[in-house]
PDB file of all heavy atoms in Angstrom:
ATOM      1  N   PHE A 359       8.917   9.994  -0.091  1.00 92.00           N
ATOM      2  CA  PHE A 359       9.170   8.552  -0.162  1.00 92.00           C
ATOM      3  C   PHE A 359       8.199   7.826   0.756  1.00 92.00           C
ATOM      4  O   PHE A 359       8.052   8.171   1.924  1.00 92.00           O
ATOM      5  CB  PHE A 359      10.604   8.226   0.263  1.00 92.00           C
ATOM      6  CG  PHE A 359      11.616   8.398  -0.813  1.00 92.00           C
ATOM      7  CD1 PHE A 359      12.479   9.493  -0.798  1.00 92.00           C
ATOM      8  CD2 PHE A 359      11.705   7.504  -1.874  1.00 92.00           C
ATOM      9  CE1 PHE A 359      13.417   9.650  -1.807  1.00 92.00           C
ATOM     10  CE2 PHE A 359      12.629   7.647  -2.876  1.00 92.00           C
ATOM     11  CZ  PHE A 359      13.504   8.744  -2.836  1.00 92.00           C
ATOM     12  N   VAL A 360       7.537   6.820   0.200  1.00 93.00           N
ATOM     13  CA  VAL A 360       6.632   5.960   0.965  1.00 93.00           C
ATOM     14  C   VAL A 360       7.315   4.623   1.159  1.00 93.00           C
ATOM     15  O   VAL A 360       7.554   3.892   0.187  1.00 93.00           O
ATOM     16  CB  VAL A 360       5.286   5.781   0.213  1.00 93.00           C
ATOM     17  CG1 VAL A 360       4.380   4.850   0.977  1.00 93.00           C
ATOM     18  CG2 VAL A 360       4.607   7.136   0.030  1.00 93.00           C
ATOM     19  N   TYR A 361       7.665   4.291   2.391  1.00 86.00           N
ATOM     20  CA  TYR A 361       8.529   3.142   2.657  1.00 86.00           C
ATOM     21  C   TYR A 361       7.748   1.902   3.116  1.00 86.00           C
ATOM     22  O   TYR A 361       7.716   0.883   2.447  1.00 86.00           O
ATOM     23  CB  TYR A 361       9.562   3.490   3.716  1.00 86.00           C
ATOM     24  CG  TYR A 361      10.627   4.442   3.277  1.00 86.00           C
ATOM     25  CD1 TYR A 361      10.656   5.749   3.762  1.00 86.00           C
ATOM     26  CD2 TYR A 361      11.605   4.044   2.373  1.00 86.00           C
ATOM     27  CE1 TYR A 361      11.655   6.616   3.359  1.00 86.00           C
ATOM     28  CE2 TYR A 361      12.609   4.903   1.967  1.00 86.00           C
ATOM     29  CZ  TYR A 361      12.633   6.208   2.457  1.00 86.00           C
ATOM     30  OH  TYR A 361      13.602   7.063   2.065  1.00 86.00           O
ATOM     31  N   TYR A 362       7.189   1.977   4.307  1.00 89.00           N
ATOM     32  CA  TYR A 362       6.717   0.786   4.996  1.00 89.00           C
ATOM     33  C   TYR A 362       5.318   0.349   4.584  1.00 89.00           C
ATOM     34  O   TYR A 362       4.567   1.108   3.959  1.00 89.00           O
ATOM     35  CB  TYR A 362       6.767   1.012   6.503  1.00 89.00           C
ATOM     36  CG  TYR A 362       8.162   0.943   7.085  1.00 89.00           C
ATOM     37  CD1 TYR A 362       8.923   2.095   7.274  1.00 89.00           C
ATOM     38  CD2 TYR A 362       8.728  -0.279   7.440  1.00 89.00           C
ATOM     39  CE1 TYR A 362      10.202   2.030   7.809  1.00 89.00           C
ATOM     40  CE2 TYR A 362      10.005  -0.358   7.989  1.00 89.00           C
ATOM     41  CZ  TYR A 362      10.737   0.797   8.153  1.00 89.00           C
ATOM     42  OH  TYR A 362      11.998   0.735   8.671  1.00 89.00           O
ATOM     43  N   SER A 363       4.972  -0.865   4.972  1.00 92.00           N
ATOM     44  CA  SER A 363       3.644  -1.406   4.704  1.00 92.00           C
ATOM     45  C   SER A 363       2.561  -0.478   5.240  1.00 92.00           C
ATOM     46  O   SER A 363       2.669   0.073   6.329  1.00 92.00           O
ATOM     47  CB  SER A 363       3.491  -2.780   5.376  1.00 92.00           C
ATOM     48  OG  SER A 363       4.491  -3.677   4.951  1.00 92.00           O
ATOM     49  N   ALA A 364       1.498  -0.310   4.442  1.00 94.00           N
ATOM     50  CA  ALA A 364       0.325   0.491   4.793  1.00 94.00           C
ATOM     51  C   ALA A 364       0.625   1.982   4.902  1.00 94.00           C
ATOM     52  O   ALA A 364      -0.236   2.754   5.343  1.00 94.00           O
ATOM     53  CB  ALA A 364      -0.344  -0.012   6.055  1.00 94.00           C
ATOM     54  N   ALA A 365       1.822   2.418   4.502  1.00 95.00           N
ATOM     55  CA  ALA A 365       2.118   3.841   4.447  1.00 95.00           C
ATOM     56  C   ALA A 365       1.486   4.427   3.173  1.00 95.00           C
ATOM     57  O   ALA A 365       1.124   3.692   2.250  1.00 95.00           O
ATOM     58  CB  ALA A 365       3.617   4.094   4.455  1.00 95.00           C
ATOM     59  N   GLY A 366       1.372   5.737   3.115  1.00 96.00           N
ATOM     60  CA  GLY A 366       0.797   6.327   1.915  1.00 96.00           C
ATOM     61  C   GLY A 366       0.458   7.788   2.081  1.00 96.00           C
ATOM     62  O   GLY A 366       1.008   8.489   2.929  1.00 96.00           O
ATOM     63  N   ILE A 367      -0.454   8.256   1.238  1.00 97.00           N
ATOM     64  CA  ILE A 367      -0.899   9.647   1.302  1.00 97.00           C
ATOM     65  C   ILE A 367      -2.417   9.706   1.308  1.00 97.00           C
ATOM     66  O   ILE A 367      -3.079   8.768   0.836  1.00 97.00           O
ATOM     67  CB  ILE A 367      -0.359  10.486   0.116  1.00 97.00           C
ATOM     68  CG1 ILE A 367      -0.895   9.959  -1.233  1.00 97.00           C
ATOM     69  CG2 ILE A 367       1.163  10.509   0.120  1.00 97.00           C
ATOM     70  CD1 ILE A 367      -0.572  10.863  -2.414  1.00 97.00           C
ATOM     71  N   GLU A 368      -2.936  10.778   1.858  1.00 97.00           N
ATOM     72  CA  GLU A 368      -4.386  10.993   1.891  1.00 97.00           C
ATOM     73  C   GLU A 368      -4.653  12.481   1.667  1.00 97.00           C
ATOM     74  O   GLU A 368      -3.946  13.338   2.175  1.00 97.00           O
ATOM     75  CB  GLU A 368      -4.957  10.555   3.233  1.00 97.00           C
ATOM     76  CG  GLU A 368      -6.453  10.797   3.384  1.00 97.00           C
ATOM     77  CD  GLU A 368      -6.985  10.472   4.760  1.00 97.00           C
ATOM     78  OE1 GLU A 368      -6.195  10.086   5.651  1.00 97.00           O
ATOM     79  OE2 GLU A 368      -8.218  10.633   4.956  1.00 97.00           O
ATOM     80  N   PHE A 369      -5.680  12.787   0.898  1.00 97.00           N
ATOM     81  CA  PHE A 369      -6.064  14.184   0.694  1.00 97.00           C
ATOM     82  C   PHE A 369      -7.537  14.283   0.320  1.00 97.00           C
ATOM     83  O   PHE A 369      -8.137  13.304  -0.136  1.00 97.00           O
ATOM     84  CB  PHE A 369      -5.189  14.856  -0.372  1.00 97.00           C
ATOM     85  CG  PHE A 369      -5.252  14.211  -1.734  1.00 97.00           C
ATOM     86  CD1 PHE A 369      -6.169  14.624  -2.692  1.00 97.00           C
ATOM     87  CD2 PHE A 369      -4.369  13.189  -2.057  1.00 97.00           C
ATOM     88  CE1 PHE A 369      -6.214  14.032  -3.952  1.00 97.00           C
ATOM     89  CE2 PHE A 369      -4.404  12.581  -3.312  1.00 97.00           C
ATOM     90  CZ  PHE A 369      -5.335  13.007  -4.253  1.00 97.00           C
ATOM     91  N   ASN A 370      -8.082  15.466   0.515  1.00 97.00           N
ATOM     92  CA  ASN A 370      -9.434  15.774   0.073  1.00 97.00           C
ATOM     93  C   ASN A 370      -9.342  16.739  -1.111  1.00 97.00           C
ATOM     94  O   ASN A 370      -8.517  17.656  -1.094  1.00 97.00           O
ATOM     95  CB  ASN A 370     -10.231  16.425   1.204  1.00 97.00           C
ATOM     96  CG  ASN A 370     -10.449  15.504   2.382  1.00 97.00           C
ATOM     97  OD1 ASN A 370     -10.775  14.340   2.198  1.00 97.00           O
ATOM     98  ND2 ASN A 370     -10.250  16.023   3.588  1.00 97.00           N
ATOM     99  N   ALA A 371     -10.181  16.525  -2.114  1.00 97.00           N
ATOM    100  CA  ALA A 371     -10.105  17.383  -3.285  1.00 97.00           C
ATOM    101  C   ALA A 371     -11.421  17.409  -4.045  1.00 97.00           C
ATOM    102  O   ALA A 371     -12.204  16.453  -3.990  1.00 97.00           O
ATOM    103  CB  ALA A 371      -8.995  16.906  -4.227  1.00 97.00           C
ATOM    104  N   LYS A 372     -11.633  18.504  -4.719  1.00 97.00           N
ATOM    105  CA  LYS A 372     -12.723  18.611  -5.691  1.00 97.00           C
ATOM    106  C   LYS A 372     -12.131  18.278  -7.049  1.00 97.00           C
ATOM    107  O   LYS A 372     -11.221  18.961  -7.525  1.00 97.00           O
ATOM    108  CB  LYS A 372     -13.303  20.019  -5.676  1.00 97.00           C
ATOM    109  CG  LYS A 372     -14.559  20.172  -6.521  1.00 97.00           C
ATOM    110  CD  LYS A 372     -15.172  21.563  -6.342  1.00 97.00           C
ATOM    111  CE  LYS A 372     -16.477  21.679  -7.136  1.00 97.00           C
ATOM    112  NZ  LYS A 372     -17.101  23.019  -6.924  1.00 97.00           N
ATOM    113  N   ILE A 373     -12.629  17.210  -7.682  1.00 97.00           N
ATOM    114  CA  ILE A 373     -11.996  16.670  -8.880  1.00 97.00           C
ATOM    115  C   ILE A 373     -13.034  16.560 -10.007  1.00 97.00           C
ATOM    116  O   ILE A 373     -14.152  16.092  -9.780  1.00 97.00           O
ATOM    117  CB  ILE A 373     -11.378  15.285  -8.602  1.00 97.00           C
ATOM    118  CG1 ILE A 373     -10.398  15.376  -7.423  1.00 97.00           C
ATOM    119  CG2 ILE A 373     -10.688  14.731  -9.845  1.00 97.00           C
ATOM    120  CD1 ILE A 373      -9.893  14.020  -6.944  1.00 97.00           C
ATOM    121  N   ASN A 374     -12.600  16.933 -11.193  1.00 97.00           N
ATOM    122  CA  ASN A 374     -13.446  16.802 -12.381  1.00 97.00           C
ATOM    123  C   ASN A 374     -12.641  16.076 -13.467  1.00 97.00           C
ATOM    124  O   ASN A 374     -11.712  16.628 -14.057  1.00 97.00           O
ATOM    125  CB  ASN A 374     -13.879  18.181 -12.896  1.00 97.00           C
ATOM    126  CG  ASN A 374     -14.819  18.089 -14.081  1.00 97.00           C
ATOM    127  OD1 ASN A 374     -15.378  17.038 -14.364  1.00 97.00           O
ATOM    128  ND2 ASN A 374     -14.987  19.196 -14.789  1.00 97.00           N
ATOM    129  N   GLY A 375     -12.968  14.775 -13.669  1.00 97.00           N
ATOM    130  CA  GLY A 375     -12.282  14.007 -14.705  1.00 97.00           C
ATOM    131  C   GLY A 375     -11.328  12.986 -14.130  1.00 97.00           C
ATOM    132  O   GLY A 375     -11.633  12.289 -13.172  1.00 97.00           O
ATOM    133  N   ILE A 376     -10.119  12.941 -14.692  1.00 96.00           N
ATOM    134  CA  ILE A 376      -9.124  11.924 -14.353  1.00 96.00           C
ATOM    135  C   ILE A 376      -8.331  12.332 -13.102  1.00 96.00           C
ATOM    136  O   ILE A 376      -7.990  13.499 -12.928  1.00 96.00           O
ATOM    137  CB  ILE A 376      -8.164  11.684 -15.529  1.00 96.00           C
ATOM    138  CG1 ILE A 376      -8.914  11.048 -16.701  1.00 96.00           C
ATOM    139  CG2 ILE A 376      -7.001  10.792 -15.130  1.00 96.00           C
ATOM    140  CD1 ILE A 376      -8.086  10.902 -17.969  1.00 96.00           C
ATOM    141  N   LEU A 377      -8.052  11.334 -12.274  1.00 97.00           N
ATOM    142  CA  LEU A 377      -7.130  11.489 -11.157  1.00 97.00           C
ATOM    143  C   LEU A 377      -5.944  10.572 -11.399  1.00 97.00           C
ATOM    144  O   LEU A 377      -6.115   9.371 -11.624  1.00 97.00           O
ATOM    145  CB  LEU A 377      -7.815  11.139  -9.840  1.00 97.00           C
ATOM    146  CG  LEU A 377      -6.900  11.013  -8.612  1.00 97.00           C
ATOM    147  CD1 LEU A 377      -6.275  12.357  -8.259  1.00 97.00           C
ATOM    148  CD2 LEU A 377      -7.695  10.467  -7.422  1.00 97.00           C
ATOM    149  N   ALA A 378      -4.726  11.134 -11.368  1.00 97.00           N
ATOM    150  CA  ALA A 378      -3.531  10.327 -11.607  1.00 97.00           C
ATOM    151  C   ALA A 378      -2.443  10.708 -10.607  1.00 97.00           C
ATOM    152  O   ALA A 378      -2.524  11.753  -9.932  1.00 97.00           O
ATOM    153  CB  ALA A 378      -3.034  10.528 -13.039  1.00 97.00           C
ATOM    154  N   VAL A 379      -1.417   9.884 -10.540  1.00 97.00           N
ATOM    155  CA  VAL A 379      -0.294  10.146  -9.654  1.00 97.00           C
ATOM    156  C   VAL A 379       0.989   9.703 -10.346  1.00 97.00           C
ATOM    157  O   VAL A 379       0.982   8.758 -11.131  1.00 97.00           O
ATOM    158  CB  VAL A 379      -0.477   9.414  -8.288  1.00 97.00           C
ATOM    159  CG1 VAL A 379      -0.422   7.917  -8.485  1.00 97.00           C
ATOM    160  CG2 VAL A 379       0.551   9.866  -7.281  1.00 97.00           C
ATOM    161  N   ARG A 380       2.069  10.408 -10.089  1.00 96.00           N
ATOM    162  CA  ARG A 380       3.359  10.049 -10.681  1.00 96.00           C
ATOM    163  C   ARG A 380       4.234   9.409  -9.599  1.00 96.00           C
ATOM    164  O   ARG A 380       4.501  10.025  -8.574  1.00 96.00           O
ATOM    165  CB  ARG A 380       4.025  11.287 -11.279  1.00 96.00           C
ATOM    166  CG  ARG A 380       5.273  10.960 -12.098  1.00 96.00           C
ATOM    167  CD  ARG A 380       5.644  12.102 -13.035  1.00 96.00           C
ATOM    168  NE  ARG A 380       4.751  12.119 -14.201  1.00 96.00           N
ATOM    169  CZ  ARG A 380       4.061  13.177 -14.577  1.00 96.00           C
ATOM    170  NH1 ARG A 380       4.141  14.295 -13.902  1.00 96.00           N
ATOM    171  NH2 ARG A 380       3.306  13.123 -15.655  1.00 96.00           N
ATOM    172  N   LEU A 381       4.656   8.177  -9.870  1.00 96.00           N
ATOM    173  CA  LEU A 381       5.434   7.385  -8.914  1.00 96.00           C
ATOM    174  C   LEU A 381       6.730   6.917  -9.562  1.00 96.00           C
ATOM    175  O   LEU A 381       6.788   6.696 -10.777  1.00 96.00           O
ATOM    176  CB  LEU A 381       4.653   6.153  -8.461  1.00 96.00           C
ATOM    177  CG  LEU A 381       3.249   6.378  -7.887  1.00 96.00           C
ATOM    178  CD1 LEU A 381       2.572   5.035  -7.608  1.00 96.00           C
ATOM    179  CD2 LEU A 381       3.302   7.200  -6.612  1.00 96.00           C
ATOM    180  N   GLN A 382       7.734   6.716  -8.722  1.00 95.00           N
ATOM    181  CA  GLN A 382       8.986   6.105  -9.189  1.00 95.00           C
ATOM    182  C   GLN A 382       9.556   5.226  -8.094  1.00 95.00           C
ATOM    183  O   GLN A 382       9.739   5.668  -6.956  1.00 95.00           O
ATOM    184  CB  GLN A 382       9.999   7.168  -9.601  1.00 95.00           C
ATOM    185  CG  GLN A 382      11.274   6.556 -10.181  1.00 95.00           C
ATOM    186  CD  GLN A 382      12.220   7.584 -10.777  1.00 95.00           C
ATOM    187  OE1 GLN A 382      12.064   8.787 -10.525  1.00 95.00           O
ATOM    188  NE2 GLN A 382      13.163   7.147 -11.580  1.00 95.00           N
ATOM    189  N   ALA A 383       9.841   3.970  -8.443  1.00 92.00           N
ATOM    190  CA  ALA A 383      10.383   3.012  -7.486  1.00 92.00           C
ATOM    191  C   ALA A 383      11.904   2.943  -7.592  1.00 92.00           C
ATOM    192  O   ALA A 383      12.483   3.200  -8.658  1.00 92.00           O
ATOM    193  CB  ALA A 383       9.788   1.618  -7.712  1.00 92.00           C
ATOM    194  N   THR A 384      12.547   2.601  -6.497  1.00 88.00           N
ATOM    195  CA  THR A 384      13.968   2.320  -6.493  1.00 88.00           C
ATOM    196  C   THR A 384      14.191   1.002  -5.753  1.00 88.00           C
ATOM    197  O   THR A 384      13.359   0.576  -4.969  1.00 88.00           O
ATOM    198  CB  THR A 384      14.770   3.431  -5.788  1.00 88.00           C
ATOM    199  OG1 THR A 384      14.272   3.590  -4.442  1.00 88.00           O
ATOM    200  CG2 THR A 384      14.619   4.763  -6.514  1.00 88.00           C
ATOM    201  N   ARG A 385      15.319   0.360  -6.020  1.00 81.00           N
ATOM    202  CA  ARG A 385      15.675  -0.940  -5.430  1.00 81.00           C
ATOM    203  C   ARG A 385      14.660  -2.025  -5.773  1.00 81.00           C
ATOM    204  O   ARG A 385      14.474  -2.953  -4.985  1.00 81.00           O
ATOM    205  CB  ARG A 385      15.797  -0.831  -3.902  1.00 81.00           C
ATOM    206  CG  ARG A 385      16.813   0.143  -3.397  1.00 81.00           C
ATOM    207  CD  ARG A 385      16.935   0.079  -1.880  1.00 81.00           C
ATOM    208  NE  ARG A 385      15.707   0.419  -1.211  1.00 81.00           N
ATOM    209  CZ  ARG A 385      14.908  -0.444  -0.649  1.00 81.00           C
ATOM    210  NH1 ARG A 385      15.168  -1.733  -0.680  1.00 81.00           N
ATOM    211  NH2 ARG A 385      13.810  -0.047  -0.037  1.00 81.00           N
ATOM    212  N   ILE A 386      14.030  -1.961  -6.903  1.00 77.00           N
ATOM    213  CA  ILE A 386      13.021  -2.936  -7.254  1.00 77.00           C
ATOM    214  C   ILE A 386      13.581  -3.982  -8.218  1.00 77.00           C
ATOM    215  O   ILE A 386      14.340  -3.637  -9.123  1.00 77.00           O
ATOM    216  CB  ILE A 386      11.786  -2.235  -7.884  1.00 77.00           C
ATOM    217  CG1 ILE A 386      10.636  -3.230  -8.092  1.00 77.00           C
ATOM    218  CG2 ILE A 386      12.138  -1.542  -9.172  1.00 77.00           C
ATOM    219  CD1 ILE A 386       9.340  -2.569  -8.543  1.00 77.00           C
ATOM    220  N   ASP A 387      13.260  -5.230  -7.986  1.00 67.00           N
ATOM    221  CA  ASP A 387      13.672  -6.311  -8.885  1.00 67.00           C
ATOM    222  C   ASP A 387      12.447  -7.192  -9.149  1.00 67.00           C
ATOM    223  O   ASP A 387      12.212  -8.167  -8.450  1.00 67.00           O
ATOM    224  CB  ASP A 387      14.802  -7.135  -8.272  1.00 67.00           C
ATOM    225  CG  ASP A 387      15.342  -8.192  -9.219  1.00 67.00           C
ATOM    226  OD1 ASP A 387      14.740  -8.390 -10.296  1.00 67.00           O
ATOM    227  OD2 ASP A 387      16.361  -8.821  -8.892  1.00 67.00           O
ATOM    228  N   PRO A 388      11.655  -6.822 -10.144  1.00 61.00           N
ATOM    229  CA  PRO A 388      10.392  -7.558 -10.389  1.00 61.00           C
ATOM    230  C   PRO A 388      10.588  -9.027 -10.744  1.00 61.00           C
ATOM    231  O   PRO A 388       9.692  -9.830 -10.545  1.00 61.00           O
ATOM    232  CB  PRO A 388       9.749  -6.781 -11.547  1.00 61.00           C
ATOM    233  CG  PRO A 388      10.862  -6.061 -12.188  1.00 61.00           C
ATOM    234  CD  PRO A 388      11.830  -5.730 -11.089  1.00 61.00           C
ATOM    235  N   SER A 389      11.776  -9.376 -11.237  1.00 61.00           N
ATOM    236  CA  SER A 389      12.025 -10.783 -11.585  1.00 61.00           C
ATOM    237  C   SER A 389      12.072 -11.653 -10.332  1.00 61.00           C
ATOM    238  O   SER A 389      11.812 -12.861 -10.385  1.00 61.00           O
ATOM    239  CB  SER A 389      13.342 -10.922 -12.351  1.00 61.00           C
ATOM    240  OG  SER A 389      14.454 -10.584 -11.532  1.00 61.00           O
ATOM    241  N   LYS A 390      12.406 -11.047  -9.202  1.00 61.00           N
ATOM    242  CA  LYS A 390      12.488 -11.784  -7.951  1.00 61.00           C
ATOM    243  C   LYS A 390      11.288 -11.511  -7.046  1.00 61.00           C
ATOM    244  O   LYS A 390      10.831 -12.404  -6.323  1.00 61.00           O
ATOM    245  CB  LYS A 390      13.779 -11.423  -7.214  1.00 61.00           C
ATOM    246  CG  LYS A 390      15.039 -11.867  -7.925  1.00 61.00           C
ATOM    247  CD  LYS A 390      16.266 -11.494  -7.114  1.00 61.00           C
ATOM    248  CE  LYS A 390      17.547 -11.931  -7.815  1.00 61.00           C
ATOM    249  NZ  LYS A 390      18.756 -11.566  -7.039  1.00 61.00           N
ATOM    250  N   SER A 391      10.785 -10.279  -7.073  1.00 64.00           N
ATOM    251  CA  SER A 391       9.762  -9.925  -6.082  1.00 64.00           C
ATOM    252  C   SER A 391       8.371  -9.771  -6.656  1.00 64.00           C
ATOM    253  O   SER A 391       7.396  -9.834  -5.941  1.00 64.00           O
ATOM    254  CB  SER A 391      10.149  -8.596  -5.425  1.00 64.00           C
ATOM    255  OG  SER A 391       9.990  -7.512  -6.335  1.00 64.00           O
TER     256      SER A 391
END
């Protein structure tokens, strides 16, 4: 879980092609926020 402002992940990798990530939010209300 990534909570606070400027939090996140970092890694080094050898990559060929597409880079993607799977995320899921909770407590989100896009109509308000």
Side-chain angles (χ1 to χ4, degrees):
F359 278 106
V360 177
Y361 289 109
Y362 284 95
S363 303
I367 63 171
E368 178 185 2
F369 59 92
N370 295 316
K372 187 173 183 179
I373 305 172
N374 183 16
I376 292 174
L377 170 65
V379 66
R380 188 162 284 125
L381 306 174
Q382 184 172 15
T384 57
R385 301 185 298 105
I386 187 173
D387 185 351
S389 66
K390 294 181 180 180
S391 72

